Amino acid sequence: MKSLIEFIAKSIVDDPTEVWVHEEERGRNVQLELSVAEEDMGRVIGRKGRVANAMRTLLRVAAIRDGKRASLDIV
């Protein structure tokens, strides 16, 4: 799941070297934190949060396939 979010974020931003994803598992729950360069934050969030919500949806689908629950925070 971490690699999915990294791939999507690196595809969107101007500076893919600044993309950082931290994954923490607690049983069936997976918490992901995405950090990007400040100037790329708008690209990752998107208008009215559409890009961020799409990333969260894809993450939830991938997690359900593994029998887990996942959430994404953009910091």
Side-chain angles (χ1 to χ4, degrees):
M1 286 181 263
K2 178 180 177 179
S3 59
L4 172 68
I5 297 300
E6 280 181 347
F7 176 76
I8 294 169
K10 286 181 179 181
S11 299
I12 294 172
V13 299
D14 285 334
D15 187 8
T17 60
E18 292 292 320
V19 173
W20 176 81
V21 179
H22 176 72
E23 181 177 35
E24 186 174 322
E25 288 194 42
R26 296 183 197 131
R28 290 186 48 216
N29 294 330
V30 179
Q31 176 73 32
L32 292 161
E33 291 182 354
L34 171 64
S35 177
V36 297
E38 190 171 328
E39 56 271 5
D40 289 327
M41 191 65 72
R43 290 179 182 269
V44 172
I45 295 172
R47 274 198 188 142
K48 297 184 181 179
R50 288 184 182 152
V51 174
N53 286 334
M55 289 173 64
R56 289 183 179 113
T57 301
L58 290 171
L59 178 64
R60 280 190 215 111
V61 170
I64 289 171
R65 293 181 73 190
D66 291 340
K68 299 181 179 185
R69 297 183 70 182
S71 62
L72 174 66
D73 291 331
I74 300 172
V75 291

